[in-house]
Amino acid sequence: MSAPPSPTESQVLRANAAFYTAFTRGDHDAMDALWAARATVTCLHPGASLLRGRETVLAAWRAIMTGPLPFEMRCHGAEVQLYGDVAVVTCYEGNGEQPAHLAATNVFVLEDGTWRMAHHQAGPLSRPFQPRPSSALN
Amino acid sequence: MSAPPSPTESQVLRANAAFYTAFTRGDHDAMDALWAARATVTCLHPGASLLRGRETVLAAWRAIMTGPLPFEMRCHGAEVQLYGDVAVVTCYEGNGEQPAHLAATNVFVLEDGTWRMAHHQAGPLSRPFQPRPSSALN
């Protein structure tokens, strides 16, 4: 088992959870607020080429979240590595109660005391991730 | 077109290029040297679940590089975002002259004045990436 998260790690994990909550709710304002305001942001959606810049990245999220398919994006097994004012979260993403089918890297930067997302990559898992009970609610 | 890389960005891009050179040559010592020594390292290979810790990550690279298939891993279109002493490189990975078939995130941290890899994720592209001539040699 990993050690319990430190206060700073917990802050990052809350920011990471807020990302999946915003996605699931289709809440574009929340999604907008959680991406970095000054740092350059980038995004690699599954299968897709790089999106760079706040306007481009947020427009893509808006398009995804306003699409025809409701999609409850759950995050499982989130782990955070802290590198000073930058944090890298790895986790698995799944639709609702389905086993997670994507692995993700979420990079956060500290801006004005708040951890904000600077980069996201998600890609498919060969085998769905079955969370252990202890990591299911990260 | 993007601005030319700064001296620091160029250092990061050289570290990123060294990763692909080590892979292509099957040079485990070089691969070992370019991963962070103190920062916790993590790795998400295509389709696979998370590897955490230097020993685990390097053992997986050794297994991949000593496998039966020679694999010339080329990096295309590398872009770097600097967040202080942490850098995030995004690029596309392809086998030799084939169009790139993976998108990658490579996170580097500055350790003792050297940019070292702390995290790698690669995942498949839906459509192969065709590099423009100006970005083919990144």
Side-chain angles (χ1 to χ4, degrees):
Chain A
M1 293 294 295
S2 301
S6 70
T8 302
E9 289 169 340
S10 293
Q11 288 177 358
V12 176
L13 290 170
R14 281 196 292 274
N16 190 65
F19 167 71
Y20 292 100
T21 301
F23 183 99
T24 294
R25 292 180 178 165
D27 185 341
H28 187 74
D29 289 345
M31 181 62 85
D32 186 288
L34 63 83
W35 281 82
R38 292 190 297 278
T40 300
V41 302
T42 48
C43 192
L44 282 165
H45 288 291
S49 55
L50 184 71
L51 304 178
R52 186 195 332 104
R54 205 171 196 290
E55 196 170 326
T56 302
V57 169
L58 268 298
W61 284 114
R62 183 185 289 274
I64 293 168
M65 294 192 300
T66 57
L69 294 174
F71 196 103
E72 181 191 359
M73 182 70 95
R74 287 210 186 187
C75 168
H76 301 278
E79 298 191 18
V80 56
Q81 310 301 331
L82 284 176
Y83 308 114
D85 287 350
V86 179
V88 175
V89 176
T90 51
C91 59
Y92 305 102
E93 302 175 343
N95 187 353
E97 300 298 332
Q98 301 298 312
H101 61 287
L102 296 168
T105 296
N106 296 324
V107 179
F108 292 86
V109 296
L110 197 57
E111 282 192 346
D112 303 325
T114 300
W115 290 97
R116 292 210 166 90
M117 189 169 275
H119 176 67
H120 168 79
Q121 176 172 7
L125 290 164
S126 300
R127 289 183 298 185
F129 173 75
Q130 297 284 3
R132 292 164 297 184
S134 62
S135 65
L137 298 177
N138 276 347
Chain B
M1 293 294 296
S2 301
S6 69
T8 303
E9 289 169 339
S10 294
Q11 287 178 357
V12 175
L13 290 170
R14 281 196 292 275
N16 190 66
F19 168 72
Y20 292 100
T21 300
F23 184 100
T24 295
R25 291 180 179 166
D27 185 340
H28 186 74
D29 288 345
M31 181 63 84
D32 186 289
L34 63 83
W35 281 81
R38 291 190 299 277
T40 300
V41 303
T42 48
C43 191
L44 281 165
H45 289 290
S49 54
L50 184 70
L51 303 177
R52 184 190 339 102
R54 205 171 197 291
E55 196 169 326
T56 302
V57 168
L58 268 298
W61 283 114
R62 182 185 289 274
I64 292 168
M65 293 192 300
T66 56
L69 295 174
F71 195 103
E72 182 191 0
M73 182 70 94
R74 288 210 187 189
C75 167
H76 302 277
E79 298 191 18
V80 57
Q81 311 301 332
L82 284 176
Y83 308 113
D85 287 350
V86 179
V88 175
V89 177
T90 51
C91 60
Y92 305 102
E93 302 176 343
N95 188 352
E97 299 298 331
Q98 301 297 312
H101 62 287
L102 297 169
T105 296
N106 296 323
V107 179
F108 292 84
V109 296
L110 196 57
E111 283 191 345
D112 303 326
T114 299
W115 289 97
R116 291 210 167 90
M117 188 169 276
H119 175 69
H120 168 79
Q121 176 173 5
L125 290 163
S126 299
R127 289 183 298 185
F129 174 75
Q130 297 284 4
R132 293 165 295 185
S134 61
S135 65
L137 298 177
N138 275 347

